[in-house]
């Protein structure tokens, strides 16, 4: 049996890397071999946004590299759709595997479903209930054309059922990002530049900013940077290229903010382990803060990972300068514990379910 994995953006490399490893492990143990081919759409293309993950995480080299990044949403998704359809017609996989909620996810899911090829969606059922987010559109549409929906949590499953998706197609399996955090725990690597920053271990805020809602609105972006600057704590900010381009001409005050290039997963892990707080608008980094026992402030109005907010270990601050300062300075955090995302064998479960589905066995 053959499956085509369609990925294109940084968080998808982390997730798919764990599942590729589980596929290889399964192939060495069972007589039902799942041949995986990877299609990299090219949505992320800088070395430190793409190649570094394939190298560090031993992700199999993509069979197909489409080289389609940048441009508007319609343009990017449309061009990817056209190329993926061609691959599917030529390669005839038995299933297509997609992750998360990016334009690459939607392109892969749409191309496959139109050709009646079953779509397997990892991270199904997450909702922000904010249709202004491109990701919300991508995930809703992908869920509704998917054959098997792998939900990380029970709440995600509830969202899908409320939208009329048949319960037996939804599998609550946990979160592959937790698998990755566990698998790579002992391999975290200190960035070479860290010792040059005069920042102490356990005494800095690790920050990431890339969401369209923050970067496309210059006033929100200014307000976030004012909050980060006013809090006075040392901040390490591996900056997404999207945001880097935008702040260049804003004349922001950044005496306590150390901007560095995006780092690979192993260095990011080290920074998460060694910071004292995370401030982010990323989906994945919110969870990774939790995995590493760090409080998180989320610079958005809502989050898909509501269990972290309910547990009092993640605070939503939007782009409000004062809320950012107050939250970073707060010392009233709940103890960071909870069993929300499975036990680290999600990738294995996903592979077993895909295999069972493709060979027609009920799971
Ligand atoms: C995308 C996803 C978002 C995800 C994020 C992960 C969509 C709609 N958004 O957002 O859900 O959280 O990836 O990081 O799919 N750029 C570079 N080099 C790169 C990649 C991007 O310079 O390697 C720049 C380009 O100017 C590009 C811009 O960043 O146009 C935005 O990239 P894009 O992939 O469209 O969106 P992200 O913000 O990365
Ligand atoms: N990440 C990384 N280097 C960075 C920033 C993020 O390796 O400089 C990793 C992070 O550890 C997580 C994933 O990228 O595994 C999250 O991706 P991102 O924040 O870009 O996207 P989102 O999760 O918001 O979709």
């Amino acid at each position: 049996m053959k499956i085509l994995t369609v990925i294109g953006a940084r968080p998808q490399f982390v997730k798919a890397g764990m599942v590729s490893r589980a596929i290889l492990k399964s192939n060495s143990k069972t007589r039902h071999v799942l041949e995986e081919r990877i299609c990299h759409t090219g949505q992320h293309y800088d070395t430190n946004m793409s190649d570094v993950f394939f190298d560090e995480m031993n992700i199999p080299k993509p069979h197909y590299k489409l080289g389609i990044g940048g441009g508007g949403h319609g343009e990017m998704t449309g061009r990817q759709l056209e190329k993926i359809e061609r691959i599917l017609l030529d390669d005839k996989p038995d299933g297509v595997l997609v992750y998360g909620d990016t334009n690459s996810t939607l392109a892969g899911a749409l191309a496959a479903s139109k050709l009646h090829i079953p779509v397997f969606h990892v991270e199904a059922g997450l909702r922000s209930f904010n249709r202004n987010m491109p990701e919300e559109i991508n995930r809703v549409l992908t869920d509704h054309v998917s054959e098997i929906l792998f939900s990380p949590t029970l709440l995600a499953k509830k969202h899908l059922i409320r939208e009329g998706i048949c319960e037996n197609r939804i599998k609550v399996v946990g979160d592959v990002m937790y698998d990755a955090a566990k698998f790579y725990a002992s391999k975290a690597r200190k960035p070479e530049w860290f010792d040059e920053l005069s920042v102490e271990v356990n005494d800095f805020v690790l920050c990431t900013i890339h969401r369209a809602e923050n970067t496309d609105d210059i006033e929100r972006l200014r307000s976030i940077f004012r909050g980060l600057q006013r809090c006075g704590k040392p901040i390490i900010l591996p900056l997404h290229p999207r945001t880097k381009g935008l702040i260049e001409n804003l004349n922001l005050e950044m005496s306590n903010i150390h901007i560095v290039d995006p780092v690979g997963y192993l260095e990011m892990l080290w920074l998460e382990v060694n910071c004292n707080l995370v401030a982010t608008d990323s989906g994945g980094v919110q969870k990774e803060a939790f995995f590493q026992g760090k409080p998180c402030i989320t610079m958005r109005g809502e989050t898909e990972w509501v269990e972290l907010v309910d547990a009092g270990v993640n605070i939503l601050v939007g782009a409000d300068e004062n809320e950012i300062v107050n939250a970073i300075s707060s010392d009233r955090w709940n103890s960071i514990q909870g069993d929300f995302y499975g036990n680290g064998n999600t990738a294995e479960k996903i592979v077993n379910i895909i295999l069972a589905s493709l060979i027609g066995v009920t799971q």
Side-chain angles (χ1 to χ4, degrees), residues 95-96 98 108-110 112-113 117-121 142 145-149:
V96 166
V98 295
L110 210 48
S113 61
I117 299 171
V119 175
F120 298 90
H121 184 205
T142 300
V145 295
S146 292
E147 178 70 20
I148 303 278
L149 299 95

Side-chain angles (χ1 to χ4, degrees), residues 9-12 14-15 44 48-49 52-53 56-57 101-102 123 135 177 180 207-208 210-211 237-240 260-269 271-272 280-288 300 305:
R10 174 167 72 182
Q12 295 168 332
V14 174
K15 296 166 200 171
H44 286 176
N48 57 10
M49 296 291 289
V52 67
F53 296 91
E56 284 186 345
M57 305 179 97
D101 52 23
T102 72
E123 224 176 58
E135 293 86 357
M177 287 196 114
C207 182
T208 74
H210 75 273
R211 284 281 158 195
L237 173 52
L239 200 54
H240 191 291
V260 293
D261 286 335
V263 293
Y265 182 76
L266 300 182
E267 293 185 345
M268 189 64 181
L269 197 56
L271 292 166
E272 288 167 349
T280 189
D281 58 8
S282 157
V285 176
Q286 287 177 61
K287 281 177 294 170
E288 289 171 346
R300 289 179 47 197
W305 308 104

Side-chain angles (χ1 to χ4, degrees), residues 290-342:
F290 170 74
F291 301 152
Q292 303 308 335
K294 304 297 155 112
C296 181
I297 73 160
T298 298
M299 297 177 291
R300 289 179 47 197
E302 71 283 307
T303 178
E304 297 76 22
W305 308 104
V306 286
E307 51 284 336
L308 300 177
V309 175
D310 293 345
V313 299
N314 185 338
I315 300 181
L316 297 174
V317 292
D320 186 295
E321 172 183 349
N322 292 326
E323 286 200 37
I324 291 172
V325 176
N326 292 340
I328 292 182
S329 313
S330 169
D331 51 10
R332 281 177 293 136
W333 293 96
N334 285 355
S335 82
I336 299 174
Q337 53 192 16
D339 182 14
F340 304 126
Y341 302 114

Side-chain angles (χ1 to χ4, degrees), residues 8-12 42-50 69-73 76-77 101-105 133-135 138-139 210-212 215 240-243 281-284:
R10 174 167 72 182
Q12 295 168 332
Q43 179 167 348
H44 286 176
Y45 46 86
D46 292 344
T47 304
N48 57 10
M49 296 291 289
S50 174
H73 289 282
M76 188 198 300
T77 315
D101 52 23
T102 72
N103 291 343
S104 303
T105 315
M133 287 178 71
E135 293 86 357
N138 291 342
R139 55 172 89 102
H210 75 273
R211 284 281 158 195
T215 55
H240 191 291
R242 169 188 202 122
T243 322
D281 58 8
S282 157

Side-chain angles (χ1 to χ4, degrees), residues 86-352:
R86 190 70 260 158
I87 292 169
L88 294 175
L89 288 168
D90 292 344
D91 211 350
K92 301 185 176 45
D94 301 292
V96 166
L97 179 58
V98 295
Y99 293 83
D101 52 23
T102 72
N103 291 343
S104 303
T105 315
L106 180 61
L110 210 48
S113 61
K114 293 262 183 168
L115 294 172
H116 315 294
I117 299 171
V119 175
F120 298 90
H121 184 205
V122 175
E123 224 176 58
L126 294 181
R127 295 291 180 267
S128 64
F129 301 102
N130 175 359
R131 290 276 170 119
N132 288 325
M133 287 178 71
E135 293 86 357
E136 185 78 352
I137 308 291
N138 291 342
R139 55 172 89 102
V140 169
L141 295 176
T142 300
D143 283 340
H144 282 259
V145 295
S146 292
E147 178 70 20
I148 303 278
L149 299 95
F150 295 110
S151 289
T153 62
L154 212 49
L155 179 65
K157 175 176 175 173
K158 284 186 185 153
H159 293 150
L160 293 170
I161 289 175
R162 203 173 320 125
E163 290 173 17
I165 289 178
C166 183
E167 189 167 354
N168 64 12
R169 294 190 2 232
I170 309 166
K171 313 288 178 189
V172 180
V173 288
D175 196 314
V176 277
M177 287 196 114
Y178 183 48
D179 293 22
K182 272 183 90 172
F183 185 84
Y184 287 103
S186 62
K187 300 179 180 71
R189 194 174 60 229
K190 179 158 82 166
E192 272 176 15
W193 42 256
F194 183 82
D195 290 335
E196 288 155 29
L197 294 185
S198 347
V199 170
E200 297 299 318
V201 159
N202 290 323
D203 188 29
F204 66 92
V205 176
L206 174 63
C207 182
T208 74
I209 308 166
H210 75 273
R211 284 281 158 195
E213 70 196 84
N214 288 330
T215 55
D216 288 356
D217 181 335
I218 293 302
E219 275 322 302
R220 280 181 74 93
L221 202 53
R222 277 189 190 282
S223 174
I224 287 173
F225 272 91
R226 273 198 303 266
L228 295 174
Q229 187 262 320
R230 272 185 46 210
C231 82
K233 304 248 162 99
I235 310 246
I236 296 183
L237 173 52
L239 200 54
H240 191 291
R242 169 188 202 122
T243 322
K244 194 172 185 179
L246 286 162
I247 62 164
E248 261 155 23
N249 300 319
L250 294 184
N251 285 326
L252 301 166
E253 171 55 54
M254 294 210 234
S255 46
N256 59 323
I257 306 175
H258 303 277
I259 292 190
V260 293
D261 286 335
V263 293
Y265 182 76
L266 300 182
E267 293 185 345
M268 189 64 181
L269 197 56
W270 189 91
L271 292 166
E272 288 167 349
V273 169
N274 288 287
C275 68
N276 68 340
L277 182 135
V278 169
T280 189
D281 58 8
S282 157
V285 176
Q286 287 177 61
K287 281 177 294 170
E288 289 171 346
F290 170 74
F291 301 152
Q292 303 308 335
K294 304 297 155 112
C296 181
I297 73 160
T298 298
M299 297 177 291
R300 289 179 47 197
E302 71 283 307
T303 178
E304 297 76 22
W305 308 104
V306 286
E307 51 284 336
L308 300 177
V309 175
D310 293 345
V313 299
N314 185 338
I315 300 181
L316 297 174
V317 292
D320 186 295
E321 172 183 349
N322 292 326
E323 286 200 37
I324 291 172
V325 176
N326 292 340
I328 292 182
S329 313
S330 169
D331 51 10
R332 281 177 293 136
W333 293 96
N334 285 355
S335 82
I336 299 174
Q337 53 192 16
D339 182 14
F340 304 126
Y341 302 114
N343 45 18
N345 61 358
T346 294
E348 221 169 283
K349 288 186 192 162
I350 288 172
V351 174
N352 288 340

